[in-house]
Amino acid sequence: MIAERIAENLYILDTGMFGLDRYDGLYILKAPRVALIETGLSHTVERALEALDELGIRREDVAYLMPTHVHLDHAGGTGHLAEACPNAKVVVHEQGAPHVIDPARLLESVQRAVGPLFPFYGTLQPTPAERVLPVRGGEVFDLGDGYAIEVIAAPGHAPHHVCFFERKERALFTGDAAGIYRPGGGGLLPTTPPPAFHLEQALETLARLKALRPRLLLYTHWGAQTDIELLDRYAHLLQDWVGEIERAKKTLQDDQAVTEYFVQKKTPLLEGHYPEPLLRGEIEMNVQGILLYLKKVRGIT
Ligand SMILES: [Zn+2]
């Protein structure tokens, strides 16, 4: 079976993004009303449909497609999956909803943010507006059999980011709000892309996520963890990461020089987790997200 079982009725599918194992995933909750949390990449849709077939899930029974935000490694499969699953509604933050309906501007912005890595991100097909349910946090979707998913506003990584909290399992789908946690000893990694990473919002979100007292943290990148202290550890990691870049900015001034400094240094935080040439792109993206935050929020230019 291509999807892996995580708990009763709960599965994760590896999208194989970047050609990496266990880097990007989507979750399938096989309740009476089936929910997919994240939709993967546009080029992994066939694999997602195959996983549904293997799990004995009829496409008509998929009730909700729930991307945590509209970055393409989380929402890229939305349009194709909405087409394949005729009854599915797309649950997405109200600021992300217009991009799901008309992705043109989003695709331009992704290309700017990820540069040479763009081909890895695939595309996003439009979803008809009547299939989209915009949310902002606080909404609850009843899936039947005791399963219910609450929408948790989770700005920081992006202003339009939400997390999903499944109440029966106390399972928190973290999206990118709690960072990247790759199994196999990799540990926590930052995910701080442009154009709208915001440190204080990210920290406030992490505190609220912890207050939910989840039993399972379900990382999109990648898989289930039970230690909720990981939320605190990510808060510290973000503060250190921003501090490190702020110091480099004070010394080197020029943004390009700061980015190049972290690329040359192969910041230990990211080295070893991404093969070349992905490593350069990942470092550039994560550093540039912080530089933009320092400029826009703290006025450091
Ligand atoms: Zn992501």
Side-chain angles (χ1 to χ4, degrees), residues 5-282:
R5 185 180 179 281
I6 283 179
E8 198 183 355
N9 299 319
L10 180 62
Y11 302 85
I12 184 168
L13 176 71
D14 188 346
T15 69
M17 184 180 188
F18 292 154
L20 298 177
D21 282 340
R22 298 177 167 222
Y23 177 71
D24 181 55
L26 64 87
Y27 290 90
I28 301 168
L29 182 55
K30 192 183 175 188
R33 285 181 283 286
V34 175
L36 265 58
I37 295 87
E38 312 290 28
T39 61
L41 293 156
S42 58
H43 45 261
T44 57
V45 165
E46 285 309 316
R47 207 172 142 70
L49 292 172
E50 192 185 330
L52 293 179
D53 290 343
E54 280 189 351
L55 292 167
I57 294 170
R58 298 186 320 150
R59 293 175 193 186
E60 295 73 26
D61 293 335
V62 177
Y64 299 112
L65 303 172
M66 307 179 113
T68 55
H69 60 303
V70 298
H71 294 165
L72 294 184
D73 46 334
H74 300 256
T78 303
H80 293 92
L81 283 170
E83 195 173 82
C85 304
N87 299 317
K89 296 281 191 197
V90 176
V91 177
V92 63
H93 191 279
E94 59 187 6
Q95 286 178 37
H99 300 295
V100 167
I101 295 163
D102 178 6
R105 270 183 49 222
L106 173 75
L107 291 169
E108 281 169 30
S109 154
V110 174
Q111 193 156 18
R112 271 198 306 277
V114 306
L117 301 185
F118 189 59
F120 288 103
Y121 281 81
T123 184
L124 176 62
Q125 180 176 306
T127 301
E130 64 273 17
R131 304 281 301 281
V132 178
L133 294 177
V135 292
R136 50 167 55 177
E139 299 84 355
V140 179
F141 294 88
D142 179 3
L143 307 183
D145 234 359
Y147 291 102
I149 289 184
E150 180 181 349
V151 181
I152 312 292
H157 175 82
H160 70 276
H161 192 297
V162 294
C163 292
F164 295 108
F165 184 56
E166 199 292 304
R167 290 171 169 179
K168 182 174 174 177
E169 292 284 349
R170 305 195 67 75
L172 179 67
F173 298 91
T174 57
D176 279 341
I180 290 173
Y181 189 93
R182 294 194 63 204
L188 279 169
L189 307 178
T191 173
T192 58
F197 172 78
H198 191 299
L199 177 65
E200 285 71 25
Q201 288 177 4
L203 298 176
E204 187 269 342
T205 289
L206 285 162
R208 273 188 299 106
L209 295 180
K210 195 179 178 197
L212 292 167
R213 292 184 296 107
R215 192 180 66 81
L216 282 176
L217 296 177
L218 299 173
Y219 290 85
T220 301
H221 313 281
W222 196 95
Q225 295 294 327
T226 52
D227 179 8
I228 71 165
E229 294 306 317
L230 284 168
L231 298 172
D232 286 334
R233 279 178 45 204
Y234 189 59
H236 289 129
L237 179 151
L238 280 181
Q239 286 166 298
D240 291 349
W241 178 233
V242 172
E244 200 182 336
I245 293 167
E246 192 177 356
R247 279 192 300 280
K249 171 79 179 169
K250 279 191 179 129
T251 315
L252 299 166
Q253 308 281 334
D254 177 62
D255 280 6
Q256 200 53 48
V258 175
T259 306
E260 203 48 40
Y261 166 77
F262 282 97
V263 168
Q264 292 308 327
K265 183 179 157 195
K266 296 190 173 172
T267 174
L269 208 49
L270 295 172
E271 193 186 17
H273 298 287
Y274 298 95
E276 298 285 4
L278 292 175
L279 181 64
R280 166 178 270 274
E282 279 296 317

